[in-house]
């Protein structure tokens, strides 16, 4: 029903559960409860319930202070920062989202198919920043592939272009992209190429 009182009650219940003394033998484990709590917070954040986006960012930030090796946490915080940016327009949220998506990508193992969704997120946020700043003050970067200069241009275009092209290559050494991620990567790549 997306009723706010139900979601509030779920978040309160997860918070109370996480505050209990844990001895390590329980099922589910605290990390699973924290993930379920974030799912509930994300539900509220996506439908713009008051306070949910800020709390989702805050809870994820607290978890990242203790565990930095879970790429989905970086993705979660980046996604909520993008939601807050879309609503309030803070460049700090946009910069933070890009940094989070880059951290998620950096921490994704080579065989993990989530790399494609994380690349879509990074390219989406980078394109948003390029559109917002119109390349003013942008760092220009040069991408070389096998010693050949491939792309030179604003970082918010060139970095995601290079990443998406490498992931869309048929011999990228990773599991195949899903039927949803592949078209999104192609669309994002086309959008970026028209601006470079």
């Amino acid at each position: 029903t997306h009723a706010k009182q139900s979601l509030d009650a779920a978040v309160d219940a997860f918070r109370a559960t996480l505050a209990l003394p844990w001895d390590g033998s329980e099922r589910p484990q605290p990390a699973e409860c924290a993930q379920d709590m974030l799912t509930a917070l994300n539900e509220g954040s996506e439908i713009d319930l008051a306070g949910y986006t800020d709390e989702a960012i805050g809870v994820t930030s607290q978890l990242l202070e203790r565990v930095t090796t879970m790429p989905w946490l970086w993705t979660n915080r980046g996604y909520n920062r993008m939601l807050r940016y879309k609503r309030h327009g803070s460049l700090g949220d946009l910069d933070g989202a890009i940094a989070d998506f880059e951290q998620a990508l950096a921490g994704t193992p080579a065989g993990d198919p989530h790399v494609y969704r994380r690349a879509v997120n990074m390219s989406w946020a980078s394109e948003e920043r390029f559109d917002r700043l119109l390349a003013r003050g942008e760092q220009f970067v040069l991408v070389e592939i096998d010693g050949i200069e491939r792309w030179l241009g604003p970082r918010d275009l060139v970095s995601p272009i290079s990443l998406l092209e490498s992931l869309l290559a048929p011999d990228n050494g990773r599991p195949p992209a899903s039927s949803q991620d592949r078209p999104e990567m192609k669309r994002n790549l086309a959008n970026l190429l028209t601006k470079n």
Side-chain angles (χ1 to χ4, degrees), residues 52-63 65 77 84:
Y52 271 78
T53 305
D54 291 341
E55 187 165 2
I57 292 168
V59 168
T60 311
S61 297
Q62 289 171 358
L63 290 170
E65 288 173 8
R77 188 171 71 178
R84 194 164 66 182

Side-chain angles (χ1 to χ4, degrees), residues 69-145:
T69 56
M70 293 183 165
W72 71 268
L73 285 173
W74 295 103
T75 299
N76 189 76
R77 188 171 71 178
Y79 177 70
N80 279 291
R81 283 177 162 172
M82 280 301 290
L83 289 178
R84 194 164 66 182
Y85 166 73
K86 288 288 199 178
R87 292 166 187 151
H88 305 293
S90 166
L91 190 56
D93 279 329
L94 184 54
D95 289 339
I98 292 170
D100 285 345
F101 291 146
E102 288 174 342
Q103 280 288 118
L105 276 165
T108 303
D112 188 340
H114 289 101
V115 70
Y116 299 111
R117 172 58 35 195
R118 291 172 186 151
V120 167
N121 289 337
M122 195 272 278
S123 62
W124 163 51
S126 294
E127 184 181 358
E128 284 281 338
R129 186 166 64 184
F130 178 81
D131 289 346
R132 167 85 181 264
L133 298 176
L134 299 174
R136 291 188 302 272
E138 268 268 326
Q139 291 181 333
F140 276 65
V141 295
L142 174 68
V143 174
E144 290 188 14
I145 299 175

Side-chain angles (χ1 to χ4, degrees), residues 163-191:
L163 173 66
L164 292 172
E165 282 195 330
S166 68
L167 290 175
L168 285 165
D171 57 348
N172 69 12
R174 295 176 182 269
S178 73
S179 58
Q180 178 185 353
D181 290 340
R182 191 164 185 80
E184 286 193 50
M185 287 193 297
K186 286 185 172 183
R187 184 200 61 213
N188 286 14
L189 177 60
N191 287 341

Side-chain angles (χ1 to χ4, degrees), residues 22-29:
W22 295 77
D23 67 13
S25 65
E26 297 88 359
R27 293 288 181 267
Q29 289 290 299

